[in-house]
Amino acid sequence: DYHEFVKKRVQEVYETGKFVPLVEEKFIRFDGKVIDVEVAATAFTYGGAPAVQVIFRDITERKQAEQELRKSREMLENITQGISDIILLISKDFRILWANKAELNLLGYSAEEYTGHNLSEFHVDTASCRDLLNRLHAGEVILDYEVHLRTRSGGIKIGTI
């Protein structure tokens, strides 16, 4: 029940004294326009007595931006997953954040087995990997750099970056 849910969340505000997001709703304004609203509550003291302030925040623009971002990500995902070139997204500390299907298929790993790991875990030649990572970290553009990568089955794939 919606009212029971809100009542429990308001009670949580009283107990914790913290700001608590309650729900996201669609509201109809007086002019008939439908908007997205975040309903939240925060506790405070009013005249020495505990009170709860309920806040209604228009989040329509944020929701629209999130939807546009989702569409863009889906389109980029469809493009990058459908090509035969290998694409990796790595963090500053060289953790693999994302790999397209071409990379995963080449090495035989699932996304779960591959992402989150340091890139060096898959390179056979530690010194070469360290050199590559240092040069990337320095901002160098790398072309025609030979790499030896360990496959899931224990084999080695030789490629060029």
Side-chain angles (χ1 to χ4, degrees):
D1 174 59
Y2 173 77
H3 294 292
E4 193 60 36
F5 170 78
V6 172
K7 184 178 171 182
K8 285 180 182 178
R9 297 304 298 265
V10 169
Q11 183 63 36
E12 183 181 339
V13 171
Y14 273 123
E15 292 170 2
T16 65
K18 296 182 179 177
F19 176 84
V20 176
L22 300 176
V23 292
E24 289 183 8
E25 292 281 343
K26 292 208 178 281
F27 280 26
I28 301 174
R29 292 191 331 195
F30 291 114
D31 63 2
K33 182 179 178 187
V34 177
I35 61 171
D36 291 296
V37 176
E38 176 184 67
V39 183
T42 189
F44 67 103
T45 304
Y46 183 75
V52 171
Q53 176 183 19
V54 179
I55 303 158
F56 296 84
R57 181 179 302 141
D58 183 346
I59 58 169
T60 305
E61 287 183 19
R62 184 186 88 198
K63 289 296 221 181
Q64 290 170 344
E66 288 171 354
Q67 184 177 7
E68 290 298 318
L69 182 58
R70 249 188 319 279
K71 285 180 185 177
S72 295
R73 283 183 179 164
E74 287 172 7
M75 183 175 69
L76 182 59
E77 178 86 11
N78 288 336
I79 291 169
T80 57
Q81 291 295 11
I83 62 175
S84 59
D85 292 334
I86 291 172
I87 302 173
L88 284 177
L89 179 61
I90 59 174
S91 68
K92 285 185 178 183
D93 64 348
F94 304 108
R95 297 254 167 239
I96 300 166
L97 302 173
W98 180 87
N100 70 341
K101 287 180 185 175
E103 171 78 348
L104 298 172
N105 290 341
L106 175 73
L107 300 178
Y109 295 100
S110 69
E112 294 77 23
E113 293 170 321
Y114 201 60
T115 56
H117 292 271
N118 193 288
L119 192 59
S120 64
E121 294 177 42
F122 301 97
H123 282 256
V124 176
D125 182 356
T126 307
S128 175
C129 180
R130 191 175 307 114
D131 174 60
L132 173 65
L133 296 178
N134 286 337
R135 291 171 65 184
L136 286 171
H137 195 28
E140 187 176 335
V141 175
I142 308 292
L143 297 172
D144 297 325
Y145 194 97
E146 188 174 285
V147 294
H148 298 218
L149 301 171
R150 188 172 292 106
T151 66
R152 186 173 191 276
S153 64
I156 297 173
K157 293 283 183 177
I158 300 173
T160 304
I161 295 179

